[in-house]
Amino acid sequence: MPSSLTVRCVALCLLSAGVPVAAAAEPGPPVAPADALHIATLPLEIVMVTASHGGSLLRDTPAAISRRDHDAIEAHKPTFIGEVLNTVPGVYMTDLGNEQHSMSIRQPLSYSAVYLYLQDGIPIRPLGLFNHNALYEINLAGVGAIEVIRGPAASLYGSNSVGGTINFLTAAPAGPGGQLGLHRSDQGLRRLDARLSGRTSGDAPDLGVQLAGYSSRRDGGWQDYNSAEKDALTGRLDWRLDARTELVTVLSYNRLRTDMPGSLYAHDYQQRPEFSYHRFTYREVEATRFSSTLTGDWLAAGPSTLTLYARDNTTEQLPSYLVFDSARDATAATGRWNDSRFTSLGLDLRQQFDADWLDARLVVGATGEFTRSDFREHQLAITRDPSSGRYLDYRVDSNRRDYHTDLDNRAVYAQLELSPLPDTRLVLGARRDQIEYDYRNRKQPGPVSGAPSERRRFEESSARLGLSWAPRTNHTLFASWAEGFTPPEVSALYGRLDVPDLAASRFSNIELGWRAELDRLPLTFDLTLYQLRGRDEVVNYSVAPGQSEPRNAGRTRHRGVEFGLEWTPSPHWQVAAAGAYSEHRFDDYRVSTTLDYSGRRMPAAPAWLGTVELRWHPAALGGLTLSLEGVYLDHYWMNNANSVRYDGHALLNLRASYLAGPWRFWLKAQNLTDRHYAEVAASSYSGAGDYLPARQDTFTPGAPRTLTLGLEYRWGSSQ
């Protein structure tokens, strides 16, 4: 397996040489004029890339899928991806600071490996090495559109595609043009964005190149310990060799270095939310991804696609959540520093077969991926100030963990689409995955150093059945059933001497949906009812604050309704709303002979969540657009026993943008009313014994009112 330096060098050389890359990437359209209000819900004739590993009309897609295009991303001027994703029905992404996050899609707010994050249809991380923060490895400046499938899509994409699948489609090169932007917030954030694009015109060979990226720095602001820096760059090269053959190359690099202020106990959260117990906790990530796709219409049956991809990732951290107070000495604590690295190589082969019979289309494919992963961890002895609660200094005490894991994933998949009756579309999909972990402990096995070396194998099958019916050109009804699965994570299996008897989690989802465009109003909306059942779902059982262990919950049930709408009562006004009502329960979860959470609501599972936005484009000021957005998160239980509750919150955000020729000026006011709230609230109280809120309840405080001012200049095709 090549070293990380080799992977990066090869990727850079191939990009400069114009070798192909990733399929399913997305054109980068020019910015809409200021008087064109963005439509967040979608015309039924739009092509969705993610639903079929190629492209299908939304009206023919029997799945709960949403899309946010280039204009929607630009309208939000996001410094955090959640600002865009939270406008998707049923999606809520928590902001843990400096692009760190957790997610909720048909699941509670959690860190679990039940989401699949893709770039151009390729997972940004390998299976078995899920990171709930993985989207800080995305360069949003280089994205042309985002597509979100809610519910399982494992029949196409495999492991972790359970609660939802998010696909970031890289913007394609346009004509000569570019963009340069600068913005700054009153909370210490400074960011520079740049994009350059060019394309030759005429017959093949046709060549297009685009570079897009940003560099941000954060110092100061409302928290007394939360500095960060991020650098991100995406390069894409399109090369059409002839009328039937295209090569596309994408290379992305993301580096993030951030302090980790951590959560607060209840008293500090209420009295001094800006405070942090930490002074040296941090996370530093470097992620490089390369993909190369060759697409050709060489066979009369349909297009052929070959994708080669590689990943190189390093994460070094001294995380706040791995610092633990001593039970005996108030001046002492322990912590852990760890360093994880992986490199991956993968290949995906795909062939499409089109037939006139019932307007059929069959896509068959095979994927092979091999990952080498290394993990080291050191035990730290920490000095603590008992009067303030701050951790002052640390020293390395011992080497705690040192292991290597090879992860091998091979899969075959197929999806058949046909129209058995007029205005209907039937979709059948299936996938078979073979997953192998080859774990090698470099230390003597023990309670701290971990389990003995072993090989473990999982074989999983997943299927999908869906039917859409369009009785009118502007109405679609659909029903679908789909399966998903997640194998246990490497860290869950091998974090202790006794390998837990963790089974792969299995999920089945059934849903009914309705999408419509009512031209007379005009109103566009979508509505989906779902029920997702889990078996052997891996949950984190809180032993103490900051300490948890993985366990299989017997059965879980997730059900609800998701809705989204756009109403344009006049050319100058628009209302958009997206939200969900859901219920997440343990059907069967017996922790011990004395603790039984069966029938309880899962923690961090609000019943209601959503956003509502009012947009105004005054006729007298042709370049001005104003929007007022409300974000709502309902109350939820903080613990499995359903005895400690967070009251939820509602936030207001204001955005203003003014376009004057090639210049754009914009302002954001987030948390306009300066609401005191928590991004995450949790309690380790089990429901048995004494309840000690001062030491069992923790909160990650949300940001106060934040003002951001930006200036942007565009030229050429970017105008």
Side-chain angles (χ1 to χ4, degrees), residues 40 130 339 521 570 577 690:
F130 178 80
D339 175 37
L521 291 179
S570 79
D690 294 333

Side-chain angles (χ1 to χ4, degrees), residues 407-489:
L407 303 101
D408 189 8
N409 183 201
R410 298 178 298 276
V412 292
Y413 59 89
Q415 180 161 297
L416 174 65
E417 302 177 29
L418 49 85
S419 299
L421 296 171
D423 303 317
T424 64
R425 197 69 173 163
L426 179 66
V427 176
L428 303 112
R431 178 177 170 120
R432 178 70 172 176
D433 282 83
Q434 292 184 343
I435 302 161
E436 291 185 2
Y437 295 168
D438 185 358
Y439 163 78
R440 281 166 271 169
N441 193 342
R442 295 189 177 109
K443 297 178 67 65
Q444 183 69 29
V448 173
S449 58
S453 300
E454 71 157 24
R455 297 176 67 95
R456 185 167 292 215
R457 182 185 180 99
F458 300 92
E459 295 196 21
E460 301 293 335
S461 298
S462 48
R464 175 191 179 199
L465 172 64
L467 178 68
S468 65
W469 175 45
R472 298 181 181 178
T473 56
N474 56 354
H475 288 266
T476 294
L477 301 170
F478 70 87
S480 73
W481 169 84
E483 294 180 309
F485 70 94
T486 61
E489 295 290 294

Side-chain angles (χ1 to χ4, degrees), residues 179-183 191-194 711-713:
Q179 165 189 342
L180 191 63
L182 178 66
H183 66 255
R191 174 165 155 169
L192 175 67
D193 289 71
L711 173 64
E712 187 176 86
Y713 179 74

